[in-house]
Amino acid sequence: MHLELTAVETVACCSPLTREPLSEPEAEGIVPLLKALADPVRLRLMSLVASHEGGEACVCDLNDAFDLSQPTISHHLKVLHEAGLLDREKRGVWVYYRARTEALENLATLIGGKEQ
Amino acid sequence: MHLELTAVETVACCSPLTREPLSEPEAEGIVPLLKALADPVRLRLMSLVASHEGGEACVCDLNDAFDLSQPTISHHLKVLHEAGLLDREKRGVWVYYRARTEALENLATLIGGKEQ
DNA sequence: CTTAAATATTTACAGTCATCTATGTCTTGG
DNA sequence: CCAAGACATAGATGACTGTAAATATTTAAG
């Protein structure tokens, strides 16, 4: 049991940006998600994982897609994981990351959601 | 005539994140939009403007909503404007900002878009 | 148990950014 | 023309962040 909400859990609670002014606490809850995506490497990582077959990818695959050191990729994956955008699962020596598409969908609704 | 695309113009061109891996240039085009929103003050500013009656608000209204100096608010509005998320119009002494909701919608589709 | 491979953590540093103060520009009223 | 108000710009500073090198951790193989 945990009382603190992760970044991703705070998103679904709010009506779209254009509906009514976002409160400061609401904004503080959403910003970590946007920050996590607001980096070219992390945005591509997210896209790579999400579009990978099975919706998951292991770090070994991801490292090769970038001209960056392994610790740097590991760092970016951690940021995405802590924001609630990626799930982690260790299988043997490998770690697989899986995209939390419902988190992306909630965020999308918040940004561009249209009310009926 | 301008050849450079603003941040907002690069968004509509891409299929959703989860459809196929984002190229580096695509990511570089989208990140400025996400960066612009990835700040609590700017996210609230965006929401305030977008939800304001008429879809626009003058700076004088916006300043009062924050415990920040006027130049700081002006700076944040500039960032949102340069990202293509807010339009500016000066009317007399006042400057009105208007939300570009189609930019928000395009971004939302890119983040959480579902394919049929 | 040793070794190798996959991934994470730590530390350090250079670059970016949010904020403020001070100042500038522009518009209106008198 | 002058003064005041609305907003923007410039410069400075402290905090945060993306990156790499070095090191640690974990797992499997032999």
Side-chain angles (χ1 to χ4, degrees), chain B residues 36-37 39-50 55-66 68-89 94-100:
Chain B
L37 292 176
D39 175 275
V41 174
R42 287 196 293 269
L43 191 62
R44 288 181 62 206
L45 277 171
M46 195 70 208
S47 181
L48 274 169
V49 172
E56 65 175 18
C58 86
V59 179
C60 50
D61 297 328
L62 301 172
N63 274 323
D64 297 345
F66 297 87
L68 292 170
S69 69
Q70 172 265 318
T72 296
I73 299 299
S74 185
H75 161 71
H76 285 305
L77 289 169
K78 184 181 184 180
V79 171
L80 289 167
H81 174 59
E82 289 181 341
L85 290 166
L86 288 180
D87 276 336
R88 273 185 73 188
E89 189 186 349
W94 296 278
V95 173
Y96 290 81
Y97 283 90
R98 173 174 293 273
R100 294 191 61 182

Side-chain angles (χ1 to χ4, degrees), chain A residues 63-112:
Chain A
N63 275 324
D64 297 345
F66 297 87
D67 201 22
L68 292 170
S69 69
Q70 173 266 320
T72 296
I73 299 298
S74 185
H75 160 71
H76 285 304
L77 289 169
K78 184 180 185 182
V79 171
L80 289 166
H81 174 60
E82 289 182 340
L85 289 166
L86 288 180
D87 276 336
R88 276 185 71 185
E89 189 186 349
K90 185 159 188 174
R91 297 210 286 271
V93 187
W94 296 277
V95 173
Y96 290 80
Y97 283 91
R98 174 175 291 275
R100 297 191 58 183
T101 52
E102 79 285 4
L104 290 175
E105 287 162 16
N106 287 340
L107 184 59
T109 300
L110 188 132
I111 291 175

Side-chain angles (χ1 to χ4, degrees), chain B:
Chain B
M1 167 184 176
H2 66 143
L3 293 175
E4 293 248 349
L5 293 178
T6 65
V8 73
E9 288 170 315
T10 64
V11 172
C13 66
C14 314
S15 67
L17 279 194
T18 55
R19 176 84 173 259
E20 59 184 336
L22 218 54
S23 72
E24 185 175 346
E26 285 170 339
E28 296 283 358
I30 296 158
V31 159
L33 272 174
L34 290 165
K35 272 202 162 89
L37 292 176
D39 175 275
V41 174
R42 287 196 293 269
L43 191 62
R44 288 181 62 206
L45 277 171
M46 195 70 208
S47 181
L48 274 169
V49 172
S51 66
H52 203 264
E53 56 169 275
E56 65 175 18
C58 86
V59 179
C60 50
D61 297 328
L62 301 172
N63 274 323
D64 297 345
F66 297 87
D67 201 23
L68 292 170
S69 69
Q70 172 265 318
T72 296
I73 299 299
S74 185
H75 161 71
H76 285 305
L77 289 169
K78 184 181 184 180
V79 171
L80 289 167
H81 174 59
E82 289 181 341
L85 290 166
L86 288 180
D87 276 336
R88 273 185 73 188
E89 189 186 349
K90 185 160 187 174
R91 296 208 288 272
V93 186
W94 296 278
V95 173
Y96 290 81
Y97 283 90
R98 173 174 293 273
R100 294 191 61 182
T101 52
E102 79 283 4
L104 290 175
E105 287 162 17
N106 287 340
L107 183 59
T109 301
L110 186 130
I111 291 176
K114 299 182 183 235
E115 299 296 301
Q116 77 289 355

